[in-house]
Amino acid sequence: MTDSNVTVDIEELVIETLKELAGEPDAVTADATLEQIDVDSLDLAELSQVVEEKLGVTLKGSDVAEVTTVADAIALIQGRMGQ
């Protein structure tokens, strides 16, 4: 799998998971803030579990606490996969 395919897969996984968790699923885009889509810390914990299960990437609570947009979540996961 190429890097661009991995990036697309991560973005798709994050967006689809957040659509399931969000209070405003139609508003979930890479540019959306978590506040705009009504995602809270419990939703981020669930996203972390999905990411670990599907991608084998562990996200720490302190890392997730810094996430304010969907794009931040995607970038965090991409960074963890590169380590």
Side-chain angles (χ1 to χ4, degrees):
M1 189 177 292
T2 66
D3 286 344
S4 63
N5 286 344
V6 171
T7 300
V8 170
D9 290 345
I10 292 169
E11 185 172 342
E12 184 177 316
L13 175 66
V14 170
I15 288 175
E16 290 306 312
T17 301
L18 289 176
K19 281 183 177 182
E20 292 174 15
L21 300 172
E24 297 291 333
D26 294 337
V28 177
T29 65
D31 297 328
T33 67
L34 301 181
E35 185 176 334
Q36 287 172 323
I37 60 174
D38 197 24
V39 167
D40 62 19
S41 59
L42 293 175
D43 295 323
L44 288 177
E46 192 163 339
L47 174 63
S48 296
Q49 290 175 336
V50 170
V51 167
E52 186 166 4
E53 179 183 306
K54 303 270 184 184
L55 302 175
V57 175
T58 302
L59 302 177
K60 299 176 185 175
S62 58
D63 296 331
V64 176
E66 302 294 320
V67 171
T68 59
T69 67
V70 174
D72 289 346
I74 294 166
L76 173 62
I77 297 162
Q78 289 170 338
R80 288 283 180 239
M81 288 190 76
Q83 290 183 351

